[in-house]
């Protein structure tokens, strides 16, 4: 696939959670053009196998490349955990060695050492992300002295996507997983929300996380990491167009996407339906 000279920054997620990443990036870097792709028809990815997540993610990256994106961010922890390395090492050299695909696990892992005093960190994420141990591996690369404990939160994504994040019923599921994490390691003083949906549960999470523990959402750190990346790679920065625009693509019903996007962005969006695979 031949590389076009310029295009928007692509952001991919299996569902809507990546909109929290997009929001954080736009807050810091509003001048760029963005193209968001949600594979909502096949979400969630959290319980799918490595092979399936890789294939779905690869299809999405190819679609964003077809749309002119020179740089794609996997705004999905499951895709970052299960597909990023294979795409970077095996696919990009064949597709277009000049383009780049980045994930959202490493930016958080890189800063966690500055955010914990006890050197005990917790991760709340989907089953797929926890089983991959991606956060543990990335954090240990940067900070071998930090102990990492993780708990899967299988019901948290549906709570957000069905607009139940503020419901009384959500309290049970949120408290249960936080209690489980703190029982694993009472010395934890920082908790990473390792799923892009989870910031929408923040009021409930703050309610049940013991006082003095830092809760870390990824959006701000991914945005800062992207800003640093573009500064360090001016050749890529020049290939990212700058008209402060955003386009949205979904594999699902556009009306459904518009309705759900309101929960994450609090603004009306125009969205186009596409097919992957």
């Amino acid at each position: 696939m031949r590389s076009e000279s310029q295009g928007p920054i692509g952001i991919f997620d299996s569902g809507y959670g990546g909109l929290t990443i997009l929001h954080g990036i736009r807050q810091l870097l509003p001048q760029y053009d963005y193209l968001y792709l949600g594979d909502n028809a096949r979400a969630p990815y959290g319980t799918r196998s490595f092979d399936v997540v890789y294939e779905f993610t690869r299809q999405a990256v190819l679609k964003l490349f077809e749309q002119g994106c020179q740089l794609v961010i996997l705004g999905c922890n499951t895709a970052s955990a299960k597909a990023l390395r294979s795409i970077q090492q095996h696919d990009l050299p064949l597709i277009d060695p000049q383009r780049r695909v980045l994930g959202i696990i490493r930016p958080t892992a890189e800063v966690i050492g500055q955010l914990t005093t006890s050197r005990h960190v917790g991760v709340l994420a989907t089953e797929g992300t926890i089983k991959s141990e991606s956060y543990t591996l990335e954090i240990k690369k940067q900070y071998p002295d930090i102990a990492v404990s993780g708990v899967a939160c299988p019901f948290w994504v549906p709570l957000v996507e069905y607009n139940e994040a503020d419901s009384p019923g959500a309290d049970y599921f949120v408290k249960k997983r936080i209690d489980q994490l703190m029982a694993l390691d009472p010395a934890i003083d920082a908790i990473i929300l390792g799923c892009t949906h989870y910031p929408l549960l923040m009021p409930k999470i703050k309610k049940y996380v013991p006082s003095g523990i830092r809760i870390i959402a990824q959006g701000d750190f991914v945005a800062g990491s992207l800003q640093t990346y573009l500064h360090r790679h001016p050749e890529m920065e020049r290939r990212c167009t700058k008209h402060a625009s955003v386009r949205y693509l979904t594999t699902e019903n556009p009306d459904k996407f518009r309705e759900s996007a309101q929960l994450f962005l609090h603004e009306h969006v125009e969205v186009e339906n596409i097919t992957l695979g």
Side-chain angles (χ1 to χ4, degrees):
M1 184 182 292
R2 188 174 60 86
S3 173
E4 299 298 326
S5 58
Q6 287 187 305
I9 295 171
I11 298 176
F12 166 67
D13 186 21
S14 59
Y16 301 101
L19 293 169
T20 62
I21 299 295
L22 172 62
H23 177 74
I25 291 172
R26 285 176 67 197
Q27 293 292 107
L28 186 63
L29 302 167
Q31 69 272 32
Y32 293 94
D33 296 324
Y34 299 98
L35 179 58
Y36 183 90
L37 168 54
D39 188 12
N40 309 89
R42 301 190 293 195
Y45 281 14
T47 55
R48 293 186 182 273
S49 71
F50 271 72
D51 289 346
V52 169
V53 172
Y54 162 67
E55 183 53 36
F56 286 1
T57 305
R58 182 179 175 277
Q59 290 169 5
V61 168
L62 287 172
K63 178 64 72 174
L64 288 167
F65 282 175
E66 285 174 12
Q67 297 282 323
C69 297
Q70 307 299 304
L71 173 65
V72 171
I73 297 163
L74 303 184
C76 172
N77 285 275
T78 304
S80 295
K82 294 185 174 183
L84 177 64
R85 192 176 300 278
S86 294
I87 288 171
Q88 288 176 332
Q89 293 180 352
H90 304 302
D91 294 304
L92 278 182
L94 300 173
I95 298 166
D96 185 342
Q98 302 304 310
R99 303 204 202 199
R100 293 289 178 267
V101 179
L102 306 176
I104 58 171
I105 292 175
R106 181 175 291 178
T108 314
E110 286 175 344
V111 299
I112 194 64
Q114 304 156 36
L115 305 175
T116 172
T117 303
S118 71
R119 316 307 277 176
H120 290 255
V121 170
V123 179
L124 297 169
T126 65
E127 182 183 353
T129 298
I130 294 298
K131 280 186 173 177
S132 74
E133 298 191 330
S134 294
Y135 273 98
T136 302
L137 294 169
E138 284 291 344
I139 290 170
K140 289 289 186 185
K141 275 187 211 168
Q142 309 281 337
Y143 308 101
D145 62 313
I146 292 181
V148 183
S149 302
V151 166
C153 308
F155 293 106
W156 287 22
V157 168
L159 284 172
V160 171
E161 298 219 337
Y162 288 102
N163 202 15
E164 296 289 332
D166 296 325
S167 70
D171 288 71
Y172 170 80
F173 295 105
V174 172
K175 182 178 187 299
K176 180 178 182 179
R177 299 309 176 187
I178 291 170
D179 289 350
Q180 187 179 342
L181 180 64
M182 296 311 300
L184 278 178
D185 185 355
I188 286 169
D189 71 348
I191 295 175
I192 296 169
L193 302 183
C195 173
T196 51
H197 283 69
Y198 294 178
L200 274 77
L201 289 161
M202 191 66 84
K204 303 281 191 197
I205 293 168
K206 285 181 175 177
K207 184 176 175 181
Y208 295 110
V209 166
S211 62
I213 294 179
R214 189 160 191 166
I215 303 167
I216 299 158
Q218 299 168 289
D220 294 341
F221 300 109
V222 172
S225 179
L226 176 59
Q227 184 180 49
T228 301
Y229 179 87
L230 292 171
H231 180 71
R232 288 179 178 169
H233 298 85
E235 74 288 349
M236 178 56 74
E237 198 279 335
R238 287 191 295 270
R239 297 170 70 194
C240 298
T241 52
K242 303 172 187 69
H243 303 103
S245 71
V246 192
R247 287 176 57 216
Y248 298 90
L249 307 175
T250 178
T251 56
E252 199 182 45
N253 182 296
D255 292 334
K256 172 73 167 67
F257 185 95
R258 266 191 293 272
E259 181 184 332
S260 296
Q262 294 269 11
L263 298 173
F264 292 86
L265 300 175
H266 307 293
E267 65 181 75
H268 179 76
V269 303
E270 289 301 325
V271 60
E272 304 162 44
N273 176 259
I274 52 122
T275 302
L276 295 178

